Amino acid sequence: MSSPLLSVQDLSIAFKQNNQTQLEVVNHISFDIHPQETLALVGESGSGKSITALSILRLLPKQHVVYPNGDILFADQSLLKASDKQLRQIRGNQISMIFQEPMVSLNPLHTVEKQLYEVLSLHRGMRRHVARGEILLYLDRVGIKEAKRKLSAYPHQLSGGERQRVMIAMAVLTNPQLLIADEPTTALDVSVQAQIIQLLKELKHELNMSILFISHDLGIVKRMADKVAVMRQGQIVEQNSRHRIFLRPEHDYTKMLLNSEPDGDPVPLPDAPGILLNVNQLDVDVITKRNLFGSQKKRIVDNVGFTVHQGETVGLVGESGSGKSTTVLAILRLIKSQGHIAFDSHSLQNLSNKKLLPFRSRMQIVFQDPFSSLNPRFNVEQIISEGIITHKKYNKIERERAVIKIMQEVGLDPDTRFRYPMEFSGGQRQRIAIARALILQPELLILDEPTSSLDRTMQRQIIQLLKSLQEKYHLSYLFISHDLSVIHALCHKIVVMKDGKIVEQGLRDKLFNHPENSYTKTLLSFLEKKPRMRPKTVKKDPKPNDKVKWDDALLIRKK
């Protein structure tokens, strides 16, 4: 066999604390990636996957990180000993990376074309008129619809899935030897996930590229990887070929991951529930062009209508860009719309901001990208308590008690409440966002892809948490997701959207078992084809470790 392209040898990673002690977050791990090979690094949030990936390109802050042991070799060259000049030659040209949170990684002040052209200009020396054709080719290949029109768009004008696809195009424009893909399909719906997986496979063979694939979605890993390394609490507990890992896992933790698929049924509905939210004939228009003669508009949400009853969970599903997130922003009056929106029999459409304020605490939202929605200058206690400071007259002691209680409920260690968002993993930041919304005890909680950045074990815990809170407080949920297994486990009713319109809606069992619309059937076909991940030899699932680990802290702060 040929020598490995990338070799991680007995690597340990630690962060400095008070310039004296060190907190070790990755402990003596080793793995190799050969040319044209895909290695998947899997494990729960906080297991050290992203820390390991960032260390390969030396992207962790120098003043805070140390490498007590081991080395990272790329084409037999040590990356830990490489100079900054050598690293600049490797980054982007030979090793490229797709980051987990595209809204943070993309420049909000530059258009899509400008950001992609910058890559081609720096790394391939292309001029703008030549680069445009290459940019359009790759945007089309990663599934961006109307790619030419999207060249002038800014990141905030794209859906979550479209932003992720732009990141993928940016990473492969340079034809790298090694692509590090950190949760590249997290924000994508099932149909686009399949396209992206196929695209990465094709690019891997066309460019003779190797891939380090980081994911918590074991269904995608099974279709993508040649080898799998399972990480837990900074250590690799099992490493083998894909077939061996999925058919005959050896470690109890691996078996637990394979048996963590969301399942179960929604909580029982209360007797004779009233209508809490009623949306009827909702339209949203956006301005696509302005000139001296006026402006051109495009309708992105068209004649949408549905109801949410008290204690009910309604799932809103569809491809990225179908109008799901735009619909909920209109319902919350965060963007302009036309039509009828009634909450608890009160019409919201024509209320002023002052008159809307009493309804704000009763309707809360958890956004798709937690890092963008959390204030980086606030610590966790300040973030979670921000709502109760605005809406409730709690004193300082009561606020602190409320924060501690809600952090415990969502599985966060209250002792970490004085840390900042950048010190947590993606899954931990999502739980902070959920805690911030739940602390006001809303009647309606809108969840925009709340589990997309969480591993399966954490998804299962969050789903159980949402169910228990719903049963206890008779909460209503409007749940946006592309993960149909999560939708099936949580939702009573499902609304399917495509191109800004509702193509089908109905009760969960009816829609899953007897869909009528061809688009719904297509979405469900991906769920049916999903590989079985429960090994037949597993007799009993080991219990997850209840202790919260904070292995993915990029900085260590003290109160």
Side-chain angles (χ1 to χ4, degrees), residues 273-318:
I275 295 176
L276 183 64
L277 176 70
N278 185 19
V279 180
N280 193 24
Q281 295 181 330
L282 184 70
D283 299 327
V284 178
D285 297 325
V286 294
I287 296 174
T288 57
K289 186 184 292 186
R290 295 180 188 271
N291 52 41
L292 293 174
F293 304 101
S295 59
Q296 293 181 3
K297 293 183 178 181
K298 180 182 178 182
R299 181 150 292 179
I300 57 175
V301 171
D302 186 9
N303 196 29
V304 165
F306 58 87
T307 59
V308 181
H309 291 77
Q310 292 170 340
E312 183 181 43
T313 301
V314 175
L316 204 55
V317 302

Side-chain angles (χ1 to χ4, degrees), residues 363-496:
M363 298 186 296
Q364 288 291 298
I365 184 170
V366 177
F367 292 99
Q368 179 177 349
D369 188 347
F371 197 66
S372 298
S373 64
L374 301 178
N375 191 328
R377 297 184 178 182
F378 281 12
N379 63 35
V380 170
E381 184 177 57
Q382 292 171 317
I383 289 170
I384 295 175
S385 62
E386 190 176 11
I388 55 178
I389 291 173
T390 302
H391 293 282
K392 297 187 177 182
K393 296 180 180 179
Y394 284 1
N395 60 40
K396 187 176 180 180
I397 295 175
E398 290 172 332
R399 284 202 306 270
E400 187 173 27
R401 287 174 181 169
V403 169
I404 290 172
K405 181 181 178 183
I406 198 65
M407 287 185 72
Q408 290 172 334
E409 285 192 358
V410 299
L412 292 169
D413 184 354
D415 291 340
T416 63
R417 66 186 183 277
F418 303 108
R419 296 182 182 176
Y420 290 77
M422 65 187 300
E423 301 177 49
F424 296 87
S425 69
Q428 291 158 353
R429 286 195 288 265
Q430 191 64 282
R431 293 196 290 275
I432 293 169
I434 292 172
R436 177 178 60 179
L438 290 176
I439 199 168
L440 287 169
Q441 297 181 344
E443 296 168 57
L444 175 66
L445 186 60
I446 297 175
L447 301 124
D448 189 354
E449 301 278 8
T451 61
S452 64
S453 63
L454 303 181
D455 54 78
R456 283 303 192 188
T457 54
M458 289 297 106
Q459 280 187 1
R460 203 168 193 174
Q461 291 178 28
I462 292 299
I463 290 170
Q464 291 304 318
L465 170 66
L466 292 173
K467 285 182 178 181
S468 63
L469 290 169
Q470 185 174 39
E471 199 165 17
K472 184 176 181 180
Y473 298 112
H474 303 295
L475 290 170
S476 299
Y477 297 141
L478 182 55
F479 195 93
I480 300 174
S481 181
H482 62 257
D483 192 327
L484 295 176
S485 60
V486 173
I487 289 287
H488 187 273
L490 195 63
C491 298
H492 302 92
K493 188 169 64 181
I494 299 170
V495 178
V496 183

